[in-house]
Amino acid sequence: MFQDESSSVTSSSSPLQVFSMMSLSPNLGSPYPWLRELKSEERGLYLIHLLLTCANHVANGSLENANIALEQISQLASPDGDTMQRMAAYFTEALADRILKAWPGLHKALNSTRITLLSEEILVRKLFFELFPFLKVAFVLTNQAIIEAMEGEKMVHIIDLNAAEPAQWVALIQALSARPEGPPHLRITGIHQQKEVLDQMAHRLIEEAEKLDIPFQFNPVVCKLENLDVDKLRVKTGEALAISSVLQLHSFLTSDDELLRKKSPLGSKNLNGIHLQRTLQMNQSTLGELLEKDMVNGYSPSPDSASSSPLSSTGSVKVDSFLNALWGLSPKLMVVTEQDSNHNGSTLMERLLESLHSYAALFDCSESTVSRTSLERLKVEKMLFGEEIKNIIACEGAERKERHEKLEKWIQRLDLAGFGNVPLSYYGMLHARRLLQGYNCDGYKMKEENGCIVICWQDRPLFSVSAWRCR
């Protein structure tokens, strides 16, 4: 029996009633037997509570309590369990990694033999492309915007800022070959840090262009995007230029981080308490619904949320400089696809709460559309979602690359850089909706925002697609 100041809990109380009155302490080192008997919804609530509590301890430097919470979570989380168990496993790993970074020697020693192969990263991104419709929808919308912008043009040059997936440009080549006025002379410049990827892209696209008798050139640029020399893009006078950026721009949002951290503390000390009590009262079936309900029930962003993004304080020098360089190329069209989430907050608690929302939706996608025993699903969740979560939660400064932001932030940035929005066409949206319908899953949705498209799981926005021209 547990007892607080005003009430006692008898053996007839539900596990969650008992749990709601417990606080983590060094005496709570091993789980109670009833933990293993929790139903899926109750277990999900418990995991949410433990993750938020653990993150709060990490942010406040209470490592002993954080360790107790991690031990509790490990009893319930599992990378091959239900949605909440799987997601909790990766958030737990991220919080543990953040703690270890306080001891650089220990962290380096534990990761000294870890091998991250670029080929594996490329493979897992291909699996994500195949298993989920998000990038396919983005490619359909991008290609249609390019086709419409290049109507009547005889020389078309496309710059792909991450040339890893030939399927997009194969589809474009096929569409351009059917133009009533005949196909243009097409040149594609592909940027990627691995030469083999660009070689495979070139082979596939040249093969398709020859089959359809389209004059075509492929210009490979082997480098990391952050090291790109714009002069190497070889933009020629008389070419109609289009730029495609798929999930690339957010990685430039790494500047001015030190200044932001001085303005606000690393952790938020007031997000435990009543917020966690409210979390316990929920009985929704998915983690996305649990967190959404919690937002309605009283969570509001921490006071520094409004100023937590580089844009709203001093701007981001890197992304501004890169966008200005792209503007200097005078593209007729630029199409930008980005994760539509707010993962760039300055505090750990802020990022944790926001990323729980969006990754809950992504893990729900997996649960609803792919078998739990699928090896491909496990690889995507571990090597893509898990690594992104770790970067968002465990990393700071220039090391934190996954700085996803909402569409409205990108609209402001692109506007300031001299770009004007081009509404995506009804025809493109129609094609994209048909593609989504082909998945026979009601969870995938699209909605229009200011001429841009946001791709959602249920009502949770996950990716945005927007088109731009030079003003």
Side-chain angles (χ1 to χ4, degrees):
M1 183 167 72
F2 299 89
Q3 192 166 343
D4 65 11
E5 294 176 353
S6 59
S7 64
S8 63
V9 180
T10 68
S11 59
S12 62
S13 301
S14 73
L16 281 180
Q17 286 175 319
V18 175
F19 171 60
S20 68
M21 296 179 185
M22 290 171 10
S23 61
L24 290 171
S25 69
N27 296 325
L28 197 59
S30 59
Y32 289 87
W34 55 260
L35 286 185
R36 297 182 185 88
E37 299 171 9
L38 288 176
K39 296 176 183 176
S40 179
E41 291 175 4
E42 294 172 332
R43 183 175 58 224
L45 291 170
Y46 193 1
L47 283 168
I48 293 169
H49 177 94
L50 285 171
L51 285 169
L52 293 172
T53 302
C54 181
N56 207 47
H57 288 319
V58 172
N60 293 329
S62 304
L63 298 188
E64 187 176 357
N65 285 334
N67 180 61
I68 293 165
L70 289 172
E71 188 178 356
Q72 295 263 314
I73 297 169
S74 68
Q75 300 291 326
L76 299 177
S78 169
D80 58 2
D82 62 26
T83 297
M84 302 173 205
Q85 289 178 299
R86 294 170 95 109
M87 195 176 75
Y90 296 110
F91 274 91
T92 306
E93 186 178 357
L95 287 167
D97 196 63
R98 186 181 178 94
I99 293 172
L100 283 175
K101 283 178 183 288
W103 290 275
L106 181 62
H107 186 266
K108 287 177 183 175
L110 288 173
N111 289 278
S112 61
T113 59
R114 183 181 176 189
I115 300 173
T116 303
L117 298 175
L118 192 59
S119 57
E120 287 184 349
E121 292 181 13
I122 293 164
L123 171 64
V124 80
R125 290 187 183 278
K126 281 186 176 293
L127 288 175
F128 176 72
F129 173 76
E130 291 165 6
L131 292 176
F132 303 93
F134 303 111
L135 294 185
K136 292 188 181 78
V137 168
F139 290 167
V140 166
L141 292 168
T142 299
N143 284 0
Q144 186 59 34
I146 291 173
I147 289 166
E148 292 170 9
M150 300 302 169
E151 189 175 347
E153 296 287 354
K154 298 193 180 302
M155 296 186 68
V156 174
H157 183 186
I158 295 169
I159 296 172
D160 184 349
L161 298 183
N162 182 37
E165 183 48 69
Q168 176 180 11
W169 306 125
V170 168
L172 182 71
I173 289 170
Q174 292 169 350
L176 289 174
S177 72
R179 284 203 319 185
E181 68 269 34
H185 183 286
L186 178 63
R187 191 154 69 96
I188 293 179
T189 295
I191 302 161
H192 200 278
Q193 58 182 307
Q194 195 169 35
K195 182 178 182 296
E196 290 81 1
V197 172
L198 293 173
D199 289 345
Q200 290 171 16
M201 171 85 79
H203 176 76
R204 180 73 185 88
L205 298 186
I206 289 169
E207 181 182 59
E208 190 67 25
E210 287 177 349
K211 187 167 69 176
L212 296 171
D213 197 25
I214 291 182
F216 176 73
Q217 287 178 288
F218 186 80
N219 178 37
V221 177
V222 183
C223 77
K224 288 186 176 181
L225 192 59
E226 60 195 54
N227 301 327
L228 177 66
D229 179 357
V230 173
D231 292 336
K232 287 186 178 179
L233 300 178
R234 293 163 42 191
V235 177
K236 300 175 182 177
T237 305
E239 288 180 329
L241 177 65
I243 299 172
S244 172
S245 174
V246 179
L247 311 183
Q248 296 304 301
L249 295 184
H250 67 265
S251 63
F252 285 91
L253 297 172
T254 56
S255 58
D256 305 318
D257 217 37
E258 291 301 319
L259 178 63
L260 287 169
R261 289 221 299 276
K262 288 175 185 175
K263 287 184 177 182
S264 64
L266 256 180
S268 175
K269 298 185 179 182
N270 61 351
L271 288 180
N272 223 351
I274 199 103
H275 168 48
L276 295 176
Q277 283 294 112
R278 281 171 174 155
T279 306
L280 294 170
Q281 297 165 6
M282 295 176 245
N283 59 1
Q284 304 299 308
S285 59
T286 69
L287 188 47
E289 290 170 339
L290 291 170
L291 287 161
E292 198 65 50
K293 183 75 174 294
D294 194 33
M295 187 76 79
V296 172
N297 280 347
Y299 164 68
S300 58
S302 55
D304 60 346
S305 291
S307 62
S308 64
S309 160
L311 175 68
S312 53
S313 52
T314 58
S316 176
V317 175
K318 287 183 182 178
V319 76
D320 291 346
S321 175
F322 187 66
L323 290 175
N324 288 335
L326 296 181
W327 183 88
L329 297 174
S330 301
K332 190 170 185 181
L333 182 76
M334 180 164 75
V335 186
V336 175
T337 300
E338 278 293 331
Q339 291 93 337
D340 192 52
S341 302
N342 182 20
H343 297 157
N344 197 22
S346 60
T347 71
L348 168 61
M349 289 302 290
E350 194 181 339
R351 297 204 301 272
L352 181 93
L353 286 161
E354 294 291 346
S355 55
L356 278 171
H357 277 288
S358 47
Y359 284 97
L362 284 168
F363 277 82
D364 277 345
C365 288
S366 295
E367 184 72 4
S368 300
T369 58
V370 189
S371 165
R372 282 190 189 179
T373 58
S374 166
L375 184 60
E376 289 78 11
R377 172 182 172 179
L378 185 63
K379 284 182 178 178
V380 169
E381 290 178 347
K382 180 174 176 57
M383 297 169 63
L384 185 60
F385 300 164
E387 288 302 308
E388 288 179 357
I389 290 167
K390 189 183 293 184
N391 191 265
I392 292 164
I393 300 300
C395 300
E396 296 293 350
E399 192 182 4
R400 181 157 60 85
K401 299 289 188 183
E402 301 299 339
R403 295 169 174 264
H404 313 145
E405 294 199 335
K406 299 292 287 181
L407 175 61
E408 54 263 30
K409 293 280 184 71
W410 290 112
I411 290 174
Q412 292 177 54
R413 281 199 181 90
L414 287 153
D415 182 66
L416 288 171
F419 290 94
N421 184 242
V422 178
L424 292 165
S425 73
Y426 172 79
Y427 191 66
M429 287 187 253
L430 189 65
H431 274 284
R433 287 189 194 282
R434 284 176 181 164
L435 191 155
L436 281 183
Q437 288 167 1
Y439 274 74
N440 294 318
C441 182
D442 294 336
Y444 293 119
K445 297 176 182 177
M446 276 173 48
K447 59 182 179 181
E448 186 180 359
E449 288 186 10
N450 302 316
C452 312
I453 290 296
V454 177
I455 313 165
C456 309
W457 173 256
Q458 305 296 355
D459 294 322
R460 169 62 50 178
L462 291 175
F463 295 87
S464 66
V465 185
S466 57
W468 304 86
R469 58 175 173 74
C470 283
R471 282 203 309 269

